[in-house]
Amino acid sequence: MTWQPVVGLEIHVQLKTRTKMFCRCANGFGGGENTQTCPVCLALPGALPVPNRIALEWTLKLGLALGCEIPKRAVFARKNYFYPDSPKGYQISQYDLPSCVNGRMLVPSSAGDHEVGIVRAHLEEDAAKTVHVGGRTGRIGGAEHSLVDFNRVGTPLVEIVTGPDIHSSEDARRFLQLLRQTIVELGISDAEMEKGTLRVDANVSVRPAGSAELRTRCELKNMNSFRFVAQGIDAEVARQIAVYEAGGEVVQETYDFDASSGALTARRSKEEADDYRYFPEPDLVPVEPPAELVERLRGELPELPSVRIRRLERELDLDRALVLVTGGLDRLYEATVAAGAEPLPVANLIANRLATSAGDAVDASQLALLVGARDRIPRAVLDDALSHIDEPGFEAAPYLAQEAVSDTGELEPVIARIIDANPGQVAAYRGGKEGLLGFFVGQVLKETGGKANARVVSELVRERLGA
Amino acid sequence: MGVSSVSSVVDTLRLTAEEAAGLVERKEVTGAELHRAYLDAAAERDPELHCYLRLVDEPNGDGVPVALKDVISTHGIETTAGSKILAGYVPQFDSTVAARCKAAGLPIIGKTNTDEFAMGSSTENSAYGPTRNPWDPERVPGGSGGGSAAAVSAGLAPWALGSDTGGSIKQPSALCGNVGLRPTYGTVSRYGIVAFASSLDQVGPVAKNVRDCALLYSLIAGRDERDSTTVELPEPVRLPEGEDLSGLRIGVPKELNEAEGIEPGVTTAVQNAIELARSLGAEVGECELPRSVEYGLACYYLIAPAEASSNLARYDGVRYGLRVDGESYREMVERTRDVGFGDEPKRRIMLGTYALSAGYFDAFYGQAQKVRTVIAREHAAAFERFDVLVSPTSPTVAFKLGEKAANPLAMYLSDLLTIPSCMAGLPGLNVPCGLSEGLPVGLQLIGPQFSENTLFRTGHALEQAIGFDPVPERLR
């Protein structure tokens, strides 16, 4: 039987507002443990929450970017549970009436746009950070003692819940890349998985291909990179298929992903089911965003990454378009092309040679000049130019003045030496491994100190070996 | 000026806060001397009455001292809410009402006794022992704010703040013979008030007369940016004058005045007050609040415990207050809460947890919220015809210590008449209207939202006409 994976994602995004969600404490890293706290976030008796207006607006912004409807009324609720990371004994979170509902994100794929439903995006507060000392598992059970740092408690957190619309680990990764880029471009979060400002849980099930049923799902947690999310999904899909094919049933469970082994470990089942006893938070009034505010925020939205990918696809292939857009480099690409450079070389050079962070600092007209001269100037000079291109006041002119060695008489003896020195690679090339051309060109460039014209060398080598 | 000569000027049993402020203004006494006079009175009478959990020796202002119920956070002064679980907890911040008292120059004279977490109607649930009624020390002062009410009656404070969830200001004021206001929900900040039931809790003043009550209310009321549920007062507080009630329409809700368990002496005193109101020019008519009275109490005992079960979750031994160690986090939390909470908080945490549980939420908490809307509408309908509704505040006069302690349901019925308007978020004023069996009877005046000025006007006129002596007979 062929099986289809069914994946829904729950994504938590820490907002980088200046202050916390319900108090005026500074939000973010910095300061020693328990220095960014106050009566409200420490849950001293009588302290009351006051919602952060910016966090509410940013949530709406994100919801609008994800095509969500903005209900007239959102309500904060209390999610009650005992744990040392929850000083009030409850988390304030939107529950049955969230800020954003019923959106969708289009994920471009080779088979056309793939639509992932956004069930909801709601605002809540993050928990404190706990460290469990002693014991074997690093968990609270069996620990000798636990330490709590309340700096993080109360950080605004948006939770985005997708429909079960994702059917491969690759689709999941692509969705997350696009979502992350959307969040970063809205300027509301750094959305870095390594730092925990973006966290992803995956609900995974499988079903016979062609069926529309939803079978028992398992939840995967603790995957702190997009690659691990994909690995985790693949591993869980394989596990569930094996269970079904052996005649078994999948049991609903939560698994932790172990990055070092790629293995999934089931969490110890709780003695009783969770009952969070949600009820409307009586310390807060309902949130009723005025229509004018929603329209203003909608008007402020930048052009979305998925739309830009579709536009770039007219000149480039999907993969290159994705890399440029999710790397935040597509605006530089478009500006460089507009400055007169050829699209494909610009895309390759930007995608392969420039750091994501450099994008905004680069002067497209200067980059266009370098792209135009890329075959004429020595490779070493091009490399040198690219390493300085994001510096203020960068000028391409001095680099363009240096010609690469294209003189056949000068290059031929070097090429001959390299070919003689590598009989094995020569035989392999002639046996059909044409990819080795790059190896020979690279050796010649190295021998000439990067001054040889790579295109000329490449032609000469091909001629020589083709004989 | 020596202490003895101050005592001759300052009769704390009789002196109103307004008069005390006058003495200070005219420099007949200093703020410090005034403060000392009340401390002296406490030294004399509080060993018997136990109104205070702690006293403040050095005044931090020049004005008329104020006593605060121990659910009100005070910077640097231990605040326990009458519970062992908060023993030794000293707030690092002032509640907004404490800060506003200080800003108005009122020094805090002490923290008054309360039922644990304000849960009770007799102050017998305090983990630190009961308060006794100044009119008869064998009897309770009501609750939960029995400490504040008894302190004002016994001359141990000129005025005080209490907190009211289902009657904790109005009912003790009735049983101790003073004036207490439960303000419109949202007019007084709850920031820094140890929470019992957030959608019901309101801070309010307790005083010797209506003018003092209005004055103290004017100092604490109004929007506070630290409490999202507060609003600005639609009109300034007016200190009441005069006895004329002409044009005032008074409604007498049948169910609140004829409920089972109302003592005959209470009914008589209340009816006399209603007749007096008529003679002062008010129009009096009957009205009905059938569902409010029939369902109010049951509804309250779902919503208040539900919110309490969540509000009391923070007392886990992790950050402050009592911690009883255990082998694991869970065991530590369980032991701390087992040792730290008394029976009444435990009872309400269990009730509330049950009412919010999956599968029960809709039938209990959800349904109670719907009934609450019905109660609010029923009151709104009555206020289309009337400006003020009247009834007894408490069905009985002060009862004996221990009389209801073993029967929680009988105790809960003490709040039968105060709870419906609390559920509707409405203001209510208790004004003493006479004695029954030598003990004070309280008249409850209920108005629509933000009608405090009308309540003050009505209460003041009746107070003048009734001529009730707020000093307990045995202390005169």
Side-chain angles (χ1 to χ4, degrees), chain A residues 404-460:
Chain A
V405 178
S406 304
D407 180 0
T408 323
E410 215 173 299
L411 294 173
E412 286 282 9
V414 182
I415 292 170
R417 270 207 308 281
I418 300 288
I419 285 177
D420 288 348
N422 295 287
Q425 276 85 349
V426 171
Y429 179 87
R430 288 185 169 140
K433 283 206 163 179
E434 292 186 3
L436 282 168
L437 182 66
F439 164 75
F440 293 107
V441 175
Q443 292 292 309
V444 174
L445 285 173
K446 195 172 161 195
E447 195 85 348
T448 59
K451 292 197 176 94
N453 182 320
R455 189 174 45 80
V456 175
V457 171
S458 160
E459 276 163 24
L460 290 174

Short mmCIF file of all heavy atoms in Angstrom, two decimals, chain A residues 404-460:
data_model
loop_
_atom_site.label_atom_id
_atom_site.label_comp_id
_atom_site.label_asym_id
_atom_site.label_seq_id
_atom_site.Cartn_x
_atom_site.Cartn_y
_atom_site.Cartn_z
N ALA A 404 42.04 39.22 -16.46
CA ALA A 404 42.49 37.86 -16.20
C ALA A 404 43.39 37.39 -17.35
O ALA A 404 43.35 37.92 -18.45
CB ALA A 404 41.29 36.93 -16.09
N VAL A 405 44.21 36.38 -17.06
CA VAL A 405 45.10 35.84 -18.11
C VAL A 405 44.26 34.99 -19.04
O VAL A 405 43.67 33.98 -18.63
CB VAL A 405 46.22 34.99 -17.47
CG1 VAL A 405 47.08 34.39 -18.55
CG2 VAL A 405 47.02 35.86 -16.52
N SER A 406 44.16 35.41 -20.30
CA SER A 406 43.38 34.65 -21.27
C SER A 406 44.29 34.17 -22.40
O SER A 406 43.83 33.53 -23.35
CB SER A 406 42.27 35.52 -21.87
OG SER A 406 41.48 36.04 -20.84
N ASP A 407 45.58 34.47 -22.28
CA ASP A 407 46.55 34.14 -23.32
C ASP A 407 46.79 32.63 -23.36
O ASP A 407 47.32 32.04 -22.42
CB ASP A 407 47.86 34.89 -23.01
CG ASP A 407 48.92 34.59 -24.05
OD1 ASP A 407 48.63 33.81 -24.99
OD2 ASP A 407 50.05 35.10 -23.88
N THR A 408 46.41 31.99 -24.45
CA THR A 408 46.52 30.54 -24.60
C THR A 408 47.96 30.08 -24.40
O THR A 408 48.20 29.07 -23.72
CB THR A 408 46.04 30.11 -25.99
OG1 THR A 408 44.93 30.92 -26.37
CG2 THR A 408 45.65 28.67 -26.00
N GLY A 409 48.88 30.84 -24.97
CA GLY A 409 50.29 30.45 -24.87
C GLY A 409 50.75 30.39 -23.42
O GLY A 409 51.56 29.53 -23.04
N GLU A 410 50.18 31.25 -22.59
CA GLU A 410 50.60 31.28 -21.18
C GLU A 410 49.92 30.15 -20.41
O GLU A 410 50.49 29.59 -19.48
CB GLU A 410 50.19 32.62 -20.58
CG GLU A 410 51.18 33.17 -19.56
CD GLU A 410 50.78 34.57 -19.15
OE1 GLU A 410 50.73 35.46 -20.04
OE2 GLU A 410 50.48 34.78 -17.95
N LEU A 411 48.68 29.80 -20.80
CA LEU A 411 47.88 28.84 -20.04
C LEU A 411 48.17 27.39 -20.43
O LEU A 411 48.14 26.50 -19.58
CB LEU A 411 46.38 29.13 -20.22
CG LEU A 411 45.90 30.45 -19.63
CD1 LEU A 411 44.44 30.72 -20.03
CD2 LEU A 411 46.03 30.44 -18.10
N GLU A 412 48.42 27.15 -21.69
CA GLU A 412 48.60 25.77 -22.18
C GLU A 412 49.60 24.95 -21.35
O GLU A 412 49.27 23.83 -20.93
CB GLU A 412 49.04 25.78 -23.66
CG GLU A 412 47.92 26.13 -24.64
CD GLU A 412 46.96 24.98 -24.92
OE1 GLU A 412 47.02 23.94 -24.24
OE2 GLU A 412 46.10 25.16 -25.82
N PRO A 413 50.79 25.48 -21.05
CA PRO A 413 51.78 24.65 -20.31
C PRO A 413 51.27 24.27 -18.92
O PRO A 413 51.47 23.16 -18.45
CB PRO A 413 53.00 25.55 -20.21
CG PRO A 413 52.81 26.65 -21.19
CD PRO A 413 51.35 26.80 -21.41
N VAL A 414 50.55 25.19 -18.29
CA VAL A 414 50.02 24.91 -16.94
C VAL A 414 49.00 23.77 -17.04
O VAL A 414 49.03 22.82 -16.24
CB VAL A 414 49.34 26.16 -16.34
CG1 VAL A 414 48.83 25.85 -14.94
CG2 VAL A 414 50.30 27.34 -16.32
N ILE A 415 48.12 23.85 -18.02
CA ILE A 415 47.09 22.84 -18.21
C ILE A 415 47.73 21.48 -18.47
O ILE A 415 47.34 20.46 -17.88
CB ILE A 415 46.15 23.25 -19.36
CG1 ILE A 415 45.34 24.49 -18.94
CG2 ILE A 415 45.20 22.10 -19.73
CD1 ILE A 415 44.55 25.12 -20.07
N ALA A 416 48.73 21.48 -19.27
CA ALA A 416 49.41 20.22 -19.58
C ALA A 416 49.98 19.60 -18.31
O ALA A 416 49.83 18.39 -18.06
CB ALA A 416 50.55 20.48 -20.60
N ARG A 417 50.59 20.44 -17.46
CA ARG A 417 51.17 19.92 -16.21
C ARG A 417 50.10 19.29 -15.33
O ARG A 417 50.30 18.21 -14.78
CB ARG A 417 51.83 21.07 -15.43
CG ARG A 417 53.30 21.29 -15.77
CD ARG A 417 54.06 21.91 -14.58
NE ARG A 417 53.45 23.11 -14.03
CZ ARG A 417 53.56 24.33 -14.58
NH1 ARG A 417 54.22 24.50 -15.71
NH2 ARG A 417 53.00 25.36 -13.99
N ILE A 418 48.96 19.96 -15.22
CA ILE A 418 47.89 19.46 -14.35
C ILE A 418 47.36 18.13 -14.88
O ILE A 418 47.13 17.19 -14.11
CB ILE A 418 46.73 20.50 -14.28
CG1 ILE A 418 47.22 21.84 -13.73
CG2 ILE A 418 45.55 19.95 -13.47
CD1 ILE A 418 47.54 21.85 -12.25
N ILE A 419 47.20 18.03 -16.18
CA ILE A 419 46.67 16.80 -16.77
C ILE A 419 47.63 15.64 -16.55
O ILE A 419 47.23 14.54 -16.15
CB ILE A 419 46.36 17.03 -18.27
CG1 ILE A 419 45.06 17.87 -18.38
CG2 ILE A 419 46.19 15.69 -19.01
CD1 ILE A 419 44.68 18.23 -19.79
N ASP A 420 48.91 15.94 -16.71
CA ASP A 420 49.92 14.87 -16.51
C ASP A 420 49.93 14.41 -15.06
O ASP A 420 50.12 13.22 -14.78
CB ASP A 420 51.32 15.39 -16.89
CG ASP A 420 51.44 15.55 -18.41
OD1 ASP A 420 50.54 15.05 -19.12
OD2 ASP A 420 52.40 16.21 -18.86
N ALA A 421 49.71 15.34 -14.16
CA ALA A 421 49.83 15.00 -12.74
C ALA A 421 48.61 14.23 -12.21
O ALA A 421 48.64 13.70 -11.10
CB ALA A 421 50.03 16.27 -11.92
N ASN A 422 47.50 14.18 -12.95
CA ASN A 422 46.27 13.56 -12.45
C ASN A 422 45.70 12.52 -13.42
O ASN A 422 44.57 12.67 -13.91
CB ASN A 422 45.22 14.63 -12.17
CG ASN A 422 45.65 15.59 -11.06
OD1 ASN A 422 45.66 15.25 -9.88
ND2 ASN A 422 46.05 16.78 -11.46
N PRO A 423 46.46 11.46 -13.68
CA PRO A 423 46.00 10.48 -14.68
C PRO A 423 44.68 9.82 -14.27
O PRO A 423 43.83 9.55 -15.12
CB PRO A 423 47.12 9.44 -14.73
CG PRO A 423 47.92 9.64 -13.48
CD PRO A 423 47.76 11.07 -13.09
N GLY A 424 44.50 9.60 -13.00
CA GLY A 424 43.27 8.93 -12.52
C GLY A 424 42.04 9.75 -12.89
O GLY A 424 41.05 9.24 -13.41
N GLN A 425 42.06 11.08 -12.56
CA GLN A 425 40.92 11.95 -12.84
C GLN A 425 40.68 12.07 -14.35
O GLN A 425 39.54 12.19 -14.79
CB GLN A 425 41.16 13.35 -12.26
CG GLN A 425 40.79 13.48 -10.80
CD GLN A 425 41.92 13.03 -9.86
OE1 GLN A 425 42.92 12.42 -10.29
NE2 GLN A 425 41.74 13.29 -8.57
N VAL A 426 41.81 12.04 -15.12
CA VAL A 426 41.69 12.12 -16.58
C VAL A 426 40.89 10.92 -17.09
O VAL A 426 39.94 11.06 -17.87
CB VAL A 426 43.08 12.19 -17.25
CG1 VAL A 426 42.94 12.05 -18.78
CG2 VAL A 426 43.76 13.51 -16.90
N ALA A 427 41.29 9.74 -16.60
CA ALA A 427 40.61 8.52 -17.03
C ALA A 427 39.13 8.57 -16.64
O ALA A 427 38.25 8.22 -17.44
CB ALA A 427 41.27 7.29 -16.39
N ALA A 428 38.88 9.03 -15.44
CA ALA A 428 37.49 9.10 -14.97
C ALA A 428 36.68 10.05 -15.84
O ALA A 428 35.54 9.78 -16.22
CB ALA A 428 37.46 9.55 -13.51
N TYR A 429 37.27 11.22 -16.16
CA TYR A 429 36.57 12.20 -17.00
C TYR A 429 36.23 11.59 -18.34
O TYR A 429 35.09 11.71 -18.81
CB TYR A 429 37.45 13.45 -17.18
CG TYR A 429 36.82 14.51 -18.06
CD1 TYR A 429 35.97 15.47 -17.51
CD2 TYR A 429 37.06 14.53 -19.43
CE1 TYR A 429 35.39 16.42 -18.32
CE2 TYR A 429 36.48 15.49 -20.25
CZ TYR A 429 35.65 16.44 -19.69
OH TYR A 429 35.06 17.39 -20.49
N ARG A 430 37.22 10.92 -18.88
CA ARG A 430 37.00 10.34 -20.21
C ARG A 430 36.00 9.19 -20.13
O ARG A 430 35.32 8.88 -21.10
CB ARG A 430 38.34 9.86 -20.81
CG ARG A 430 39.18 11.07 -21.21
CD ARG A 430 40.45 10.68 -21.91
NE ARG A 430 41.08 11.86 -22.50
CZ ARG A 430 42.38 12.08 -22.49
NH1 ARG A 430 43.21 11.18 -21.94
NH2 ARG A 430 42.88 13.17 -23.04
N GLY A 431 35.94 8.60 -18.95
CA GLY A 431 34.96 7.53 -18.74
C GLY A 431 33.55 8.07 -18.54
O GLY A 431 32.62 7.29 -18.29
N GLY A 432 33.38 9.39 -18.54
CA GLY A 432 32.01 9.93 -18.48
C GLY A 432 31.76 10.85 -17.29
O GLY A 432 30.70 11.46 -17.20
N LYS A 433 32.69 10.94 -16.35
CA LYS A 433 32.48 11.82 -15.20
C LYS A 433 32.83 13.26 -15.57
O LYS A 433 33.86 13.80 -15.20
CB LYS A 433 33.35 11.37 -14.02
CG LYS A 433 32.78 10.15 -13.31
CD LYS A 433 33.26 10.13 -11.88
CE LYS A 433 32.41 9.18 -11.05
NZ LYS A 433 32.89 9.14 -9.65
N GLU A 434 31.91 13.89 -16.31
CA GLU A 434 32.24 15.21 -16.84
C GLU A 434 32.27 16.29 -15.78
O GLU A 434 32.84 17.36 -15.98
CB GLU A 434 31.26 15.57 -17.96
CG GLU A 434 31.50 14.67 -19.15
CD GLU A 434 30.69 15.04 -20.38
OE1 GLU A 434 29.97 16.06 -20.30
OE2 GLU A 434 30.77 14.31 -21.35
N GLY A 435 31.71 15.99 -14.66
CA GLY A 435 31.73 16.94 -13.55
C GLY A 435 33.15 17.26 -13.10
O GLY A 435 33.38 18.25 -12.42
N LEU A 436 34.08 16.40 -13.46
CA LEU A 436 35.46 16.62 -13.04
C LEU A 436 36.11 17.81 -13.75
O LEU A 436 37.19 18.23 -13.37
CB LEU A 436 36.30 15.35 -13.28
CG LEU A 436 36.10 14.25 -12.23
CD1 LEU A 436 36.72 12.94 -12.69
CD2 LEU A 436 36.72 14.69 -10.90
N LEU A 437 35.42 18.35 -14.76
CA LEU A 437 35.94 19.53 -15.45
C LEU A 437 36.27 20.62 -14.44
O LEU A 437 37.33 21.25 -14.50
CB LEU A 437 34.90 20.02 -16.46
CG LEU A 437 35.33 21.22 -17.30
CD1 LEU A 437 36.49 20.86 -18.24
CD2 LEU A 437 34.14 21.75 -18.12
N GLY A 438 35.37 20.81 -13.49
CA GLY A 438 35.55 21.84 -12.47
C GLY A 438 36.81 21.62 -11.66
O GLY A 438 37.49 22.57 -11.28
N PHE A 439 37.13 20.35 -11.43
CA PHE A 439 38.35 20.03 -10.67
C PHE A 439 39.59 20.54 -11.42
O PHE A 439 40.46 21.19 -10.84
CB PHE A 439 38.44 18.50 -10.48
CG PHE A 439 39.79 18.00 -10.06
CD1 PHE A 439 40.26 18.16 -8.76
CD2 PHE A 439 40.64 17.39 -11.00
CE1 PHE A 439 41.52 17.69 -8.40
CE2 PHE A 439 41.90 16.93 -10.63
CZ PHE A 439 42.33 17.08 -9.32
N PHE A 440 39.63 20.25 -12.73
CA PHE A 440 40.80 20.68 -13.51
C PHE A 440 40.89 22.21 -13.57
O PHE A 440 41.95 22.79 -13.39
CB PHE A 440 40.75 20.08 -14.94
CG PHE A 440 40.91 18.57 -14.94
CD1 PHE A 440 39.85 17.74 -15.20
CD2 PHE A 440 42.17 18.01 -14.66
CE1 PHE A 440 40.00 16.36 -15.18
CE2 PHE A 440 42.32 16.62 -14.65
CZ PHE A 440 41.24 15.79 -14.91
N VAL A 441 39.75 22.84 -13.80
CA VAL A 441 39.75 24.31 -13.87
C VAL A 441 40.23 24.89 -12.53
O VAL A 441 41.07 25.80 -12.50
CB VAL A 441 38.33 24.84 -14.20
CG1 VAL A 441 38.29 26.36 -14.16
CG2 VAL A 441 37.89 24.35 -15.57
N GLY A 442 39.75 24.30 -11.47
CA GLY A 442 40.13 24.77 -10.14
C GLY A 442 41.64 24.65 -9.92
O GLY A 442 42.27 25.56 -9.37
N GLN A 443 42.22 23.51 -10.35
CA GLN A 443 43.66 23.31 -10.17
C GLN A 443 44.45 24.36 -10.95
O GLN A 443 45.44 24.89 -10.45
CB GLN A 443 44.03 21.89 -10.66
CG GLN A 443 43.48 20.77 -9.80
CD GLN A 443 44.14 20.75 -8.43
OE1 GLN A 443 45.36 20.75 -8.30
NE2 GLN A 443 43.31 20.75 -7.39
N VAL A 444 43.97 24.64 -12.18
CA VAL A 444 44.69 25.62 -13.01
C VAL A 444 44.60 27.01 -12.34
O VAL A 444 45.58 27.74 -12.27
CB VAL A 444 44.09 25.66 -14.44
CG1 VAL A 444 44.72 26.80 -15.25
CG2 VAL A 444 44.30 24.33 -15.14
N LEU A 445 43.41 27.35 -11.84
CA LEU A 445 43.24 28.65 -11.18
C LEU A 445 44.17 28.75 -9.98
O LEU A 445 44.80 29.78 -9.74
CB LEU A 445 41.79 28.84 -10.73
CG LEU A 445 40.79 29.16 -11.85
CD1 LEU A 445 39.37 29.16 -11.30
CD2 LEU A 445 41.12 30.51 -12.50
N LYS A 446 44.28 27.66 -9.24
CA LYS A 446 45.12 27.63 -8.05
C LYS A 446 46.60 27.87 -8.47
O LYS A 446 47.29 28.68 -7.87
CB LYS A 446 44.98 26.26 -7.39
CG LYS A 446 45.48 26.19 -5.97
CD LYS A 446 45.11 24.84 -5.36
CE LYS A 446 45.96 24.54 -4.14
NZ LYS A 446 45.85 23.10 -3.79
N GLU A 447 47.00 27.15 -9.51
CA GLU A 447 48.39 27.22 -10.01
C GLU A 447 48.74 28.65 -10.44
O GLU A 447 49.87 29.08 -10.28
CB GLU A 447 48.52 26.26 -11.20
CG GLU A 447 49.95 25.96 -11.58
CD GLU A 447 50.53 24.81 -10.75
OE1 GLU A 447 49.90 24.41 -9.74
OE2 GLU A 447 51.57 24.33 -11.09
N THR A 448 47.74 29.35 -11.02
CA THR A 448 48.02 30.69 -11.53
C THR A 448 47.71 31.77 -10.51
O THR A 448 47.63 32.95 -10.85
CB THR A 448 47.20 30.97 -12.80
OG1 THR A 448 45.80 30.83 -12.46
CG2 THR A 448 47.54 29.99 -13.90
N GLY A 449 47.48 31.36 -9.30
CA GLY A 449 47.17 32.35 -8.25
C GLY A 449 45.86 33.06 -8.51
O GLY A 449 45.71 34.23 -8.17
N GLY A 450 44.92 32.38 -9.16
CA GLY A 450 43.59 32.95 -9.37
C GLY A 450 43.53 33.96 -10.50
O GLY A 450 42.52 34.60 -10.71
N LYS A 451 44.64 34.07 -11.25
CA LYS A 451 44.64 35.13 -12.27
C LYS A 451 44.11 34.65 -13.63
O LYS A 451 43.86 35.45 -14.52
CB LYS A 451 46.07 35.67 -12.46
CG LYS A 451 46.55 36.43 -11.23
CD LYS A 451 47.76 37.30 -11.58
CE LYS A 451 48.22 38.16 -10.42
NZ LYS A 451 49.29 37.50 -9.63
N ALA A 452 44.02 33.34 -13.83
CA ALA A 452 43.57 32.81 -15.13
C ALA A 452 42.09 33.11 -15.35
O ALA A 452 41.31 33.16 -14.40
CB ALA A 452 43.80 31.31 -15.18
N ASN A 453 41.72 33.29 -16.62
CA ASN A 453 40.32 33.48 -16.97
C ASN A 453 39.64 32.12 -16.98
O ASN A 453 39.95 31.26 -17.81
CB ASN A 453 40.25 34.14 -18.36
CG ASN A 453 38.81 34.40 -18.78
OD1 ASN A 453 37.92 33.58 -18.54
ND2 ASN A 453 38.60 35.55 -19.41
N ALA A 454 38.74 31.95 -16.05
CA ALA A 454 38.15 30.62 -15.82
C ALA A 454 37.44 30.10 -17.08
O ALA A 454 37.49 28.90 -17.37
CB ALA A 454 37.19 30.67 -14.64
N ARG A 455 36.76 30.98 -17.78
CA ARG A 455 36.01 30.52 -18.95
C ARG A 455 36.97 29.99 -20.03
O ARG A 455 36.75 28.94 -20.62
CB ARG A 455 35.16 31.67 -19.50
CG ARG A 455 34.19 31.26 -20.58
CD ARG A 455 33.27 32.42 -20.98
NE ARG A 455 34.01 33.67 -21.16
CZ ARG A 455 34.71 33.96 -22.28
NH1 ARG A 455 34.75 33.12 -23.28
NH2 ARG A 455 35.35 35.11 -22.38
N VAL A 456 38.08 30.73 -20.24
CA VAL A 456 39.07 30.30 -21.25
C VAL A 456 39.69 28.98 -20.83
O VAL A 456 39.82 28.05 -21.64
CB VAL A 456 40.14 31.40 -21.43
CG1 VAL A 456 41.22 30.92 -22.38
CG2 VAL A 456 39.50 32.68 -21.94
N VAL A 457 40.06 28.88 -19.54
CA VAL A 457 40.69 27.65 -19.04
C VAL A 457 39.75 26.47 -19.27
O VAL A 457 40.14 25.42 -19.78
CB VAL A 457 41.02 27.76 -17.52
CG1 VAL A 457 41.45 26.41 -16.96
CG2 VAL A 457 42.08 28.82 -17.28
N SER A 458 38.49 26.68 -18.96
CA SER A 458 37.51 25.63 -19.08
C SER A 458 37.43 25.13 -20.53
O SER A 458 37.40 23.92 -20.78
CB SER A 458 36.18 26.16 -18.56
OG SER A 458 35.13 25.42 -19.03
N GLU A 459 37.43 26.08 -21.47
CA GLU A 459 37.39 25.68 -22.89
C GLU A 459 38.62 24.89 -23.28
O GLU A 459 38.53 23.85 -23.96
CB GLU A 459 37.28 26.92 -23.79
CG GLU A 459 35.84 27.40 -23.95
CD GLU A 459 35.77 28.83 -24.47
OE1 GLU A 459 36.75 29.27 -25.13
OE2 GLU A 459 34.76 29.50 -24.19
N LEU A 460 39.77 25.37 -22.84
CA LEU A 460 41.04 24.72 -23.19
C LEU A 460 41.10 23.30 -22.62
O LEU A 460 41.52 22.36 -23.30
CB LEU A 460 42.23 25.54 -22.68
CG LEU A 460 42.45 26.89 -23.42
CD1 LEU A 460 43.57 27.68 -22.73
CD2 LEU A 460 42.80 26.64 -24.89
#
